Amino acid sequence: MADTVDQQAHREARIRRPAPVWQAGEVVEVIDETPETASLRIRLPQPTQFLPGQYYNIRIPVEGRPRPIQRAYSVGSSPYPTFDVIEVGVKEMEGGLVSPVLVRQRPAGSILEVRGPYGAFTWTDEDGGPVLLVGAGSGVVPLMAMIRYQVSRGTTIPMHLLFSSKSAEYVIYRDELAQLADTYSWLTVTHTFTRDREDPLAQYHRRIDKEMVGDVYLETLPGLAYLCGPPEMVDDCERSLLELGMEPAQIKTEKYD
Ligand SMILES: Cc1cc2nc3c(=O)[nH]c(=O)nc-3n(C[C@H](O)[C@H](O)[C@H](O)COP(=O)(O)OP(=O)(O)OC[C@H]3O[C@@H](n4cnc5c(N)ncnc54)[C@H](O)[C@@H]3O)c2cc1C
């Protein structure tokens, strides 16, 4: 099928990207995803085409610090068909300098300094599949961008998300993921809950381990794997996939350290 003019512009813009600059984004909406996670939708005055899986830096002034403090946040929204508003998903880290402020103190109407996009942890339909996505906690954010991107592009490359959360209450994008998995046969979502031993929403009730990765690997037979979350989880998963026969070039990782 030939690309529309819109799709062609999208493809070309992916190639020509200017160097990122700090810009004053306006928070246009805050969505409470879980008790500790919020999605902030930020309108950019100078929008730049980005790829699903990339992140932005956000910096805020912190009392007692001479300079603003900067942290990285993955974009959870699809860059297609529009990218003037980005959605970041932020999990509050107790005692953290930046994330509690973003989750609790930046309501709609606030201005936030953002700069991006950055990162090579990216997927588009041109990369192919089947795709195994493995995320823990807020590590699901860039994986969601990949899923939403495929929805918005109308492609049907098989994707399997293995997603670890504390319990159903802490599953980021819970309802949307359930609805997408019901709607699209190319999407499979497997939950594991680490602090709930019974909830049937989860197929597993423990941390992601070698056996679990082996199960989803056999179900998916992935051509590509994307792993995102705490460094230990990402390293363990990568090791398991290599032992199962995947090549290093087939595995992309993003560590939230
Ligand atoms: C590429 C990339 C993408 C990311 N994307 C996301 C995302 O989409 N969503 C998301 O939620 N996060 C994401 N992160 C993580 C994010 O950048 C921050 O690291 C996270 O939000 C914590 O920042 P903070 O300022 O709140 O906490 P920090 O101030 O960095 O503190 C982190 C933790 O360390 C503890 N701590 C700090 N100093 C000390 C000390 N001296 N002694 C003991 N403990 C201490 C704090 O209490 C806190 O629990 C990403 C990270 C990377 C690298």
Side-chain angles (χ1 to χ4, degrees):
M1 197 169 57
D3 271 2
T4 62
V5 172
D6 189 27
Q7 283 171 329
Q8 225 165 347
H10 171 66
R11 188 188 303 273
E12 281 165 19
R14 290 198 314 218
I15 300 160
R16 290 182 276 106
R17 265 174 290 160
V21 292
W22 286 108
Q23 49 181 311
E26 182 191 352
V27 179
V28 290
E29 191 182 357
V30 177
I31 303 158
D32 290 326
E33 303 280 1
T34 76
E36 58 187 13
T37 309
S39 285
L40 277 66
R41 296 180 59 77
I42 304 167
R43 184 180 302 286
L44 304 176
Q46 296 160 260
T48 310
Q49 179 64 254
F50 65 95
L51 293 171
Q54 288 192 298
Y55 67 91
Y56 270 69
N57 287 324
I58 299 182
R59 68 179 184 189
I60 60 168
V62 172
E63 218 183 299
R65 298 293 181 112
R67 278 178 290 282
I69 304 294
Q70 152 184 334
R71 297 284 185 263
Y73 293 99
S74 304
V75 181
S77 49
S78 167
Y80 182 83
T82 57
F83 50 87
D84 56 321
V85 175
I86 56 164
E87 181 187 298
V88 292
V90 184
K91 177 180 161 191
E92 177 177 22
M93 267 218 189
E94 220 183 300
L97 286 177
V98 175
S99 60
V101 176
L102 295 180
V103 173
R104 310 274 167 215
Q105 297 169 31
R106 288 297 181 273
S110 311
I111 300 297
L112 271 181
E113 278 198 289
V114 303
R115 186 169 69 179
Y118 296 102
F121 183 75
T122 65
W123 179 85
T124 72
D125 38 299
E126 288 172 5
D127 295 308
V131 188
L132 176 61
L133 309 168
V134 183
S138 57
V140 74
V141 174
L143 310 179
M144 192 61 174
M146 297 171 192
I147 294 169
R148 286 170 165 167
Y149 180 77
Q150 167 139 272
V151 169
S152 63
R153 294 280 284 173
T155 49
T156 58
I157 294 164
M159 285 184 162
H160 191 150
L161 171 66
L162 172 62
F163 184 10
S164 173
S165 309
K166 286 182 209 164
S167 67
E169 202 189 358
Y170 289 88
V171 177
I172 305 170
Y173 316 124
R174 186 184 59 204
D175 295 346
E176 186 179 346
L177 281 171
Q179 187 251 317
L180 291 176
D182 274 351
T183 309
Y184 298 104
S185 58
W186 51 260
L187 180 65
T188 306
V189 178
T190 299
H191 290 287
T192 182
F193 293 163
T194 55
R195 296 195 196 165
D196 182 314
R197 299 273 150 216
E198 284 165 15
D199 193 323
L201 177 62
Q203 195 168 320
Y204 301 96
H205 298 87
R206 57 182 199 265
R207 294 172 85 156
I208 293 173
D209 57 22
K210 197 173 165 179
E211 191 191 332
M212 209 184 287
V213 172
D215 289 350
V216 292
Y217 175 84
L218 284 178
E219 275 179 52
T220 315
L221 296 177
L224 289 172
Y226 290 78
L227 319 175
C228 185
E232 197 190 324
M233 181 285 275
V234 170
D235 286 340
D236 289 351
C237 267
E238 185 174 24
R239 207 171 306 118
S240 302
L241 289 172
L242 291 171
E243 283 172 21
L244 286 160
M246 287 190 85
E247 296 293 328
Q250 292 177 289
I251 305 171
K252 289 198 179 189
T253 60
E254 189 83 287
K255 297 178 186 177
Y256 284 3
D257 40 12

